[in-house]
Amino acid sequence: MKQKTKTIGLYLHIPFCRFLCHYCDFVKTARWTGEFVDSYFSALQSHLDFWIKTFLIPEGYMFGSVFVGGGTPSLFTKEYENIFSLLEPFLAEGAEITLEANPDNMSEENLCFWKSLGFNRISCGVQSFSSAGLEALTRKHKASEVPLAYERARKYFDSINLDLIYGWNGQTLGDWEKELSQLKQLSPDHASLYLLTYAPGTPLGRAHERGKLQASSDQTLESFYEMARSSLADGGYDHEEVSNWSKGGKNCRHNWLYWQDQYYLAVGAGACGYLPSRKTPFGLRYQYTGREKNFCNQKLPEEWMSWDGKSEQLGDHFQVEERSPSIWLLEYIGAGLRSSRGVDLELIQKKAAYVYKSTSFLEEAVKENCLRQEGSRLLLSEREWFRESSWCLKVFDAFSKEL
Ligand SMILES: C[S@@+](CC[C@H](N)C(=O)[O-])C[C@H]1O[C@@H](n2cnc3c(N)ncnc32)[C@H](O)[C@@H]1O
Ligand code: SF4
């Protein structure tokens, strides 16, 4: 019998941006030169090569999905050639290979080049279709550029995601309705709609802390979420996760790794990976903790190969953490319950020996159609995904260790 290839995801972080948007707290920098970029890409290549040789090949994995995110990975073209040469022998058949792209980089020439390299999916950061939204979010592209960039991308890519942010200062429900209908008019295969987070340390986060920007009430934000749900359902989209919708079965395979406890390698400044542990079934998480400059000179995390599972800091700017059964469970519930596949009670019992016993609170939730069980899966209703964190703790409390 033909053996099925074991697949794993890969995330590559490209931290360079032309301008730092005032809401964004991803690892990024706007201060870079060609030399800095060359040395970053060369470090990316060495670290990727290290993971391929020390993990991917010995464990018999292939890459089922690759996601190049940032920062602004679409600032670059030829810089990816060496990365692709390294990756090609390890791409599983039909691997999904996504590039995160800003509309103002999506020229015909760039799109054509990315496609020729092997990218087969574009995730475009639209953020808003309106000039007022782009201004509130301090984006630098023009609203009129978005449909043109999208139509150009369509010629080369048959899998496209558009990112939008909602809940920005001054946005009304009427504005949001219009944005949703503009989104449906373009008809991307996938849409990610994120509620604006006032992240601490960002200019918008600080303005919010000082009371200069007021977030809308929870009730208003829930109305935005409900409007998105019903508008995209009308447009034929499946709701896959609190912030993600897709149609025609064109879901993001890479996202599903994060939501369903699957493994992925990650390389680059700030990148976080999740790998099988040699000691427990709960996996280990690692993170490149340094800033962009540190990554350029960072030693390969060779200690990882003989790691005893105790010290969490390996060399400079690299952390590894074995997960306990309870942390594993909490994370699995946290990610799974806000997705359309929920959590698998049988898997939890098999892997961590935790048994689910419904509480009176959860019984009531079932009666009110907030929660349901389908076979071995426990699912939260879509309207409750918005409040997932409080549900997560309630559901976590219903698990106890099998004796
Ligand atoms: C790494 S970011 C940006 C990728 C790309 N450079 C861009 O600007 O479009 C990926 C997505 O996260 C979302 N995002 C980033 N910061 C956010 C925030 N504070 N609140 C909500 N969504 C955010 C945006 O929709 C963005 O497209
Ligand atoms: S949103 Fe995108 S372009 Fe803006 S700072 Fe963040 S990563 Fe850079």
Side-chain angles (χ1 to χ4, degrees):
M1 205 171 72
K2 206 175 149 201
Q3 271 221 315
K4 212 170 154 244
T5 321
K6 278 200 295 185
T7 57
I8 191 165
L10 171 66
Y11 175 77
L12 297 176
H13 190 74
I14 312 293
F16 306 104
C17 295
R18 285 227 192 281
F19 171 81
L20 303 187
C21 309
H22 289 190
Y23 55 85
C24 178
D25 74 342
F26 283 74
V27 174
K28 63 200 181 308
T29 178
R31 300 173 67 163
W32 46 278
T33 57
E35 212 179 313
F36 184 3
V37 169
D38 288 347
S39 96
Y40 188 91
F41 270 87
S42 130
L44 206 59
Q45 210 179 316
S46 324
H47 281 253
L48 179 57
D49 184 54
F50 166 81
W51 288 110
I52 289 176
K53 291 192 176 124
T54 62
F55 171 78
L56 200 83
I57 296 176
E59 299 291 333
Y61 280 101
M62 299 281 272
F63 293 119
S65 66
V66 178
F67 194 102
V68 182
T72 312
S74 54
L75 290 171
F76 308 103
T77 49
K78 287 198 179 341
E79 289 80 352
Y80 294 111
E81 277 174 340
N82 290 339
I83 302 273
F84 269 88
S85 308
L86 197 55
L87 283 179
E88 252 144 30
F90 304 104
L91 292 173
E93 206 183 318
E96 173 190 277
I97 311 176
T98 305
L99 178 77
E100 217 166 48
N102 287 27
D104 40 355
N105 303 135
M106 289 162 62
S107 65
E108 194 93 27
E109 198 184 350
N110 286 355
L111 288 157
C112 180
F113 189 81
W114 294 326
K115 166 100 180 173
S116 72
L117 273 179
F119 285 108
N120 53 26
R121 185 171 182 273
I122 290 283
S123 176
C124 172
V126 173
Q127 318 311 355
S128 173
F129 286 108
S130 77
S131 304
L134 293 175
E135 196 177 321
L137 293 166
T138 69
R139 293 291 285 187
K140 294 296 162 213
H141 64 265
K142 293 197 178 64
S144 57
E145 281 181 77
V146 173
L148 300 173
Y150 178 83
E151 293 310 335
R152 275 194 299 275
R154 260 288 167 240
K155 291 194 231 158
Y156 300 93
F157 292 89
D158 63 8
S159 188
I160 300 180
N161 167 62
L162 301 184
D163 280 352
L164 289 185
I165 296 181
Y166 64 96
W168 39 265
N169 193 36
Q171 189 182 28
T172 63
L173 270 175
D175 296 332
W176 185 222
E177 190 175 20
K178 203 165 152 210
E179 299 229 20
L180 291 165
S181 92
Q182 283 168 294
L183 176 80
K184 288 190 289 184
Q185 233 169 349
L186 291 185
S187 190
D189 311 282
H190 191 282
S192 300
L193 313 182
Y194 299 111
L195 170 63
L196 176 65
T197 311
Y198 287 99
T202 61
L204 288 197
R206 283 195 291 271
H208 180 245
E209 263 164 41
R210 283 194 236 109
K212 292 199 167 155
L213 276 179
Q214 293 281 321
S216 307
S217 68
D218 286 353
Q219 216 176 2
T220 308
L221 295 177
E222 188 167 355
S223 313
F224 277 83
Y225 174 70
E226 284 304 324
M227 184 177 274
R229 264 188 358 101
S230 84
S231 172
L232 291 197
D234 285 348
Y237 284 84
D238 295 325
H239 198 176
E240 298 183 3
E241 192 255 10
V242 59
S243 309
N244 289 277
W245 285 257
S246 72
K247 66 174 181 179
K250 298 246 184 78
N251 60 15
C252 174
R253 207 182 298 163
H254 193 80
N255 277 349
W256 276 106
L257 301 177
Y258 301 146
W259 306 331
Q260 288 287 304
D261 193 40
Q262 304 292 305
Y263 299 121
Y264 48 91
L265 276 163
V267 186
C272 303
Y274 175 42
L275 294 182
S277 152
R278 299 181 197 104
K279 293 193 190 139
T280 76
F282 310 114
L284 56 86
R285 292 208 179 270
Y286 69 80
Q287 184 177 16
Y288 283 93
T289 54
R291 301 289 313 175
E292 315 80 29
K293 276 265 189 246
N294 306 118
F295 182 70
C296 295
N297 313 310
Q298 187 163 343
K299 277 190 3 215
L300 298 172
E302 275 163 347
E303 299 97 318
W304 178 80
M305 288 182 295
S306 54
W307 184 52
D308 60 6
K310 289 184 191 131
S311 50
E312 291 195 351
Q313 185 72 39
L314 302 187
D316 285 342
H317 313 300
F318 192 82
Q319 274 183 350
V320 192
E321 187 200 337
E322 286 271 9
R323 288 181 320 154
S324 66
S326 58
I327 296 284
W328 172 81
L329 180 59
L330 199 58
E331 286 184 3
Y332 177 52
I333 296 172
L337 270 195
R338 51 196 243 170
S339 82
S340 59
R341 293 187 203 158
V343 293
D344 184 347
L345 302 176
E346 256 171 44
L347 174 91
I348 294 171
Q349 190 167 1
K350 222 163 91 189
K351 194 157 164 169
Y354 273 101
V355 183
Y356 176 73
K357 192 161 176 286
S358 190
T359 58
S360 53
F361 177 86
L362 295 177
E363 288 299 335
E364 205 48 43
V366 170
K367 277 192 205 137
E368 286 170 14
N369 292 326
C370 293
L371 201 65
R372 66 186 192 282
Q373 212 175 318
E374 284 174 11
S376 75
R377 293 211 160 248
L378 187 68
L379 300 127
L380 190 61
S381 103
E382 290 166 32
R383 70 188 144 88
E384 296 300 316
W385 290 354
F386 199 65
R387 279 179 282 279
E388 174 278 330
S389 41
S390 65
W391 282 105
C392 171
L393 296 175
K394 297 262 172 20
V395 170
F396 179 75
D397 284 343
F399 283 92
S400 53
K401 251 324 193 189
E402 203 169 34
L403 295 175

